[in-house]
Amino acid sequence: MYQVDEIDLQLLRLLQKDADITTKELAQRVNLTNTPVFDRIKRLKKEGYIKKTTAVLCSEKLDVSLIVFCNVKLKEHTKEIGNQFVKDIMFLKEVTECYNTSGDFDFLLKVMVKDMKHYQSFVLQSLGSVKGIGSAHSTFVMGEIKNNHGIPL
């Protein structure tokens, strides 16, 4: 298995900040030529250090400005109910992130919707159709303070 070195970490930091940065600019920043930088990035992708490259969109401009964190508790802790919950959540487009958690709740969902009316519809129609949910608790985001979309390296 490939072990990352300091140059790889520098490349990953730079790509996390701006995935549109050119190979030439990356090479200049890490004091290498284009070819080894290109090869390193290719290897980092192949080895799974870079899962994918994506655009971070402006939710307000796209009229998806309400973020809700929804804690979900399952009715029962069985393999079937847990697996079905995960399978069902994958099809709900409003759920942008889902985490299996410890504590009072089993899952934490990040839900992005247009407004409160949209969230109400989501809870009643979409989330309400997911079998196995015992209870849900919603926390509404009043303002985003920090979201760097990255991993601290």
Side-chain angles (χ1 to χ4, degrees):
M1 187 167 162
Y2 180 73
Q3 292 293 317
V4 296
D5 61 15
E6 186 53 41
I7 292 175
D8 291 328
L9 289 173
Q10 287 177 336
L11 291 169
L12 291 171
R13 284 185 202 106
L14 291 165
L15 288 168
Q16 256 190 164
K17 287 181 184 174
D18 181 7
D20 284 337
I21 191 169
T22 65
T23 303
K24 180 180 178 181
E25 200 171 338
L26 284 170
Q28 289 172 344
R29 297 236 185 125
V30 298
N31 295 319
L32 291 175
T33 60
N34 291 358
T35 302
V37 167
F38 179 81
D39 291 343
R40 281 174 178 263
I41 293 170
K42 188 175 174 182
R43 190 176 322 116
L44 289 166
K45 287 179 180 180
K46 181 182 172 215
E47 294 291 329
Y49 290 95
I50 299 173
K51 289 176 20 174
K52 68 179 180 176
T53 304
T54 185
V56 178
L57 308 178
C58 179
S59 59
E60 290 85 18
K61 288 189 178 277
L62 295 166
D63 204 21
V64 182
S65 55
L66 181 62
I67 299 170
V68 184
F69 289 100
C70 181
N71 286 292
V72 174
K73 186 182 289 191
L74 299 179
K75 286 181 186 176
E76 295 179 69
H77 293 104
T78 67
K79 182 178 178 180
E80 293 78 21
I81 289 175
N83 287 341
Q84 188 60 52
F85 174 83
V86 169
K87 199 178 293 182
D88 291 345
I89 288 301
M90 298 303 284
F91 292 102
L92 301 181
K93 70 175 183 168
E94 293 89 350
V95 176
T96 60
E97 298 176 44
C98 176
Y99 302 94
N100 186 209
T101 59
S102 64
D104 293 335
F105 295 95
D106 301 308
F107 293 92
L108 173 63
L109 311 178
K110 180 179 178 184
V111 181
M112 297 183 73
V113 291
K114 177 179 179 175
D115 53 25
M116 189 62 78
K117 187 172 183 171
H118 185 179
Y119 186 66
Q120 180 184 29
S121 174
F122 165 78
V123 169
L124 295 175
Q125 304 300 316
S126 302
L127 195 60
S129 69
V130 175
K131 293 185 180 9
I133 295 178
S135 65
H137 177 268
S138 301
T139 302
F140 300 93
V141 174
M142 295 176 10
E144 186 175 279
I145 309 305
K146 181 179 180 181
N147 186 346
N148 67 8
H149 306 284
I151 296 171
L153 297 174

